[in-house]
């Protein structure tokens, strides 16, 4: 069977956490639901998969491999009791991973609810010049961007927020060479470039990629046309990094650890991996390597890990 990249899904982003109880509680407060837990007591780690799953959610009720917009929390036993254990959030040196982003119905009300519950912010709506985005901190100080599905004017006087309408919109990683990374994610991973935001004044560009139907560059009411989506990848490129032979981003898997990987769910795992082989990708783990024969890991141009798993709705393969 051949593989069709248009059938792929940007399934999840993995973050290591110190205390799973606190982290799960935070993401559940954002309206997410624990849809799967994979316990690995022999190897002394557990995996928690959270996603939006209300009747209003994009992938309500789907098998966890047949979704986009999942966050996978990895807990290594004992870290919660280690006073010296600390996560690298990717935004202090060494930098690499940037943030997750949720889109919300009424951004002022959503941010007020988070503030009222005692969660800390890296940037409140009222901080700085950009009044349409905020960054809340999860228990490990990972940044979670909050963006609105409507314009500020539409939601200014609205006091309520419904977490059932939220989306896990995107995952941001920094890349050294925009052209090289864009070619890789489009040609090799089969994603479409859905939106570009150029910030010449501040010396950086943002590129939003994803699967599924093309998204219009603008919406009728002026809101972000991608805000209602899940499963987007944001690449941040700071001008000039591509010219520095010694410049390198941190992949989150070398010490100090934090972010682990992004994951693509594919239509046919063997066929997809054969296609990646033809594309001459750099492998972290081939499907046939090691004991786990149901996952592979490809390296992107910056060395970020991309897990590849079977979409179990399209072809039953693994007993997850």
């Amino acid at each position: 069977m051949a593989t069709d990249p248009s059938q792929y899904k940007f399934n999840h982003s993995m973050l290591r956490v110190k205390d799973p109880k606190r982290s799960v509680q935070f993401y559940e407060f954002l309206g997410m639901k624990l849809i799967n837990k994979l316990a690995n007591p022999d190897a002394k780690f557990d995996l928690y998969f959270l996603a939006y799953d209300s009747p209003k959610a994009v992938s309500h009720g789907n098998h966890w491999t047949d979704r986009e917009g999942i966050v996978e929390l990895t807990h290594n036993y004992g870290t919660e009791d280690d006073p010296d254990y600390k996560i690298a959030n990717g935004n202090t040196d060494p930098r690499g991973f940037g943030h997750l982003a949720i889109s919300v119905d009424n951004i002022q009300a959503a941010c007020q609810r988070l503030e009222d519950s005692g969660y800390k912010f890296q940037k409140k709506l009222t901080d700085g010049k950009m009044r349409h985005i905020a960054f809340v901190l999860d228990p490990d100080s990972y940044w979670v961007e909050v963006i609105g599905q409507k314009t500020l004017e539409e939601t200014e006087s609205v006091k309520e927020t419904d977490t059932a309408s939220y989306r896990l919109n995107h995952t941001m990683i920094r890349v050294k060479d925009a052209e090289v990374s864009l070619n890789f994610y489009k040609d090799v991973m089969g994603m479409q470039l859905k939106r570009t935001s150029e910030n010449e004044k501040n010396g950086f560009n943002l590129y939003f990629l994803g699967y599924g139907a093309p998204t219009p560059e603008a919406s009728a009411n002026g809101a972000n046309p991608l805000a209602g989506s899940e499963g987007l990848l944001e690449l941040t490129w700071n001008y000039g990094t591509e010219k520095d032979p010694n410049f390198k981003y941190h992949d989150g898997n070398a010490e100090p650890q934090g972010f682990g990987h992004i994951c693509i769910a594919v239509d046919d795992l063997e066929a997809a991996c054969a296609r990646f082989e033809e594309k001459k990708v750099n492998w972290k783990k081939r499907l046939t390597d090691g004991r786990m024969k149901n996952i592979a890991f490809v390296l992107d141009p910056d060395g970020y890990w991309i897990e590849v798993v079977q979409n179990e709705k399209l072809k039953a393969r693994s007993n997850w």
Side-chain angles (χ1 to χ4, degrees), residues 3-20:
T3 182
D4 177 3
S6 72
Q7 297 294 304
Y8 296 1
K9 293 191 173 188
F10 177 10
N11 181 251
H12 70 256
S13 299
M14 186 275 261
L15 305 175
R16 294 176 179 87
V17 299
K18 178 182 172 89
D19 184 340

Side-chain angles (χ1 to χ4, degrees), residues 115-297:
E115 201 173 334
D116 291 346
S117 295
Y119 288 113
K120 293 178 182 168
F121 281 76
Q122 178 67 29
K123 177 204 176 298
K124 294 183 179 176
L125 280 178
T126 50
D127 296 340
K129 289 182 193 171
M130 298 183 76
R131 297 300 171 96
H132 60 290
I133 61 169
F135 285 90
V136 65
L137 296 174
D138 92 343
D140 288 290
S141 293
Y142 290 115
W143 295 16
V144 179
E145 185 179 14
V146 185
I147 63 174
Q149 295 168 6
K150 304 171 193 160
T151 64
L152 282 176
E153 292 72 28
E154 286 178 291
T155 63
E156 209 153 23
S157 58
V158 181
K159 301 295 183 198
E160 294 80 38
T161 182
D162 177 11
T163 59
S165 65
Y166 292 9
R167 306 274 186 261
L168 182 58
N169 182 255
H170 69 257
T171 296
M172 187 276 263
I173 54 175
R174 297 175 178 89
V175 298
K176 173 175 176 165
D177 188 320
E179 194 174 337
V180 169
S181 292
L182 285 169
N183 285 340
F184 171 83
Y185 281 103
K186 288 193 289 185
D187 179 51
V188 178
M189 302 314 296
M191 289 183 167
Q192 300 170 13
L193 178 61
K194 292 178 175 272
R195 187 168 176 240
T196 300
S197 175
E198 297 184 350
N199 293 271
E200 284 187 42
K201 197 172 91 173
N202 296 308
F204 70 89
N205 288 358
L206 311 176
Y207 305 92
F208 294 86
L209 299 106
Y211 296 107
T215 312
E217 274 281 328
S219 64
N221 64 353
N224 177 348
L226 296 175
S229 304
E230 288 191 324
L232 298 172
L233 179 66
E234 176 188 354
L235 305 180
T236 294
W237 169 56
N238 291 292
Y239 298 178
T241 51
E242 76 284 5
K243 295 172 185 158
D244 180 351
N246 299 315
F247 187 87
K248 193 175 187 307
Y249 281 118
H250 184 249
D251 67 6
N253 292 302
E255 295 292 341
Q257 292 185 318
F259 164 77
H261 61 259
I262 60 172
C263 175
I264 308 299
V266 298
D267 54 353
D268 185 292
L269 187 53
E270 277 81 6
C273 286
R275 178 179 167 274
F276 292 145
E277 192 75 56
E278 286 173 13
K279 295 281 187 183
K280 297 183 167 52
V281 300
N282 291 319
W283 294 96
K284 180 67 186 175
K285 178 202 175 300
R286 283 183 168 86
L287 204 52
T288 49
D289 295 343
R291 285 185 301 171
M292 297 187 76
K293 307 296 186 191
N294 51 5
I295 59 171
F297 281 94

Side-chain angles (χ1 to χ4, degrees), residues 67-135:
R67 291 171 176 261
E68 298 192 299
I70 297 175
V71 58
E72 174 193 344
L73 307 179
T74 294
H75 170 236
N76 293 295
Y77 295 2
T79 53
E80 68 276 23
D81 299 318
D82 180 354
D84 298 322
Y85 183 82
K86 194 171 185 303
I87 292 294
N89 73 2
N91 291 303
T92 54
D93 288 332
R95 297 197 312 161
F97 167 75
H99 60 259
L100 300 178
I102 61 165
S103 68
V104 302
D105 53 354
N106 302 311
I107 192 165
Q108 288 97 330
C111 288
Q112 191 61 53
R113 177 176 173 268
L114 282 159
E115 201 173 334
D116 291 346
S117 295
Y119 288 113
K120 293 178 182 168
F121 281 76
Q122 178 67 29
K123 177 204 176 298
K124 294 183 179 176
L125 280 178
T126 50
D127 296 340
K129 289 182 193 171
M130 298 183 76
R131 297 300 171 96
H132 60 290
I133 61 169
F135 285 90

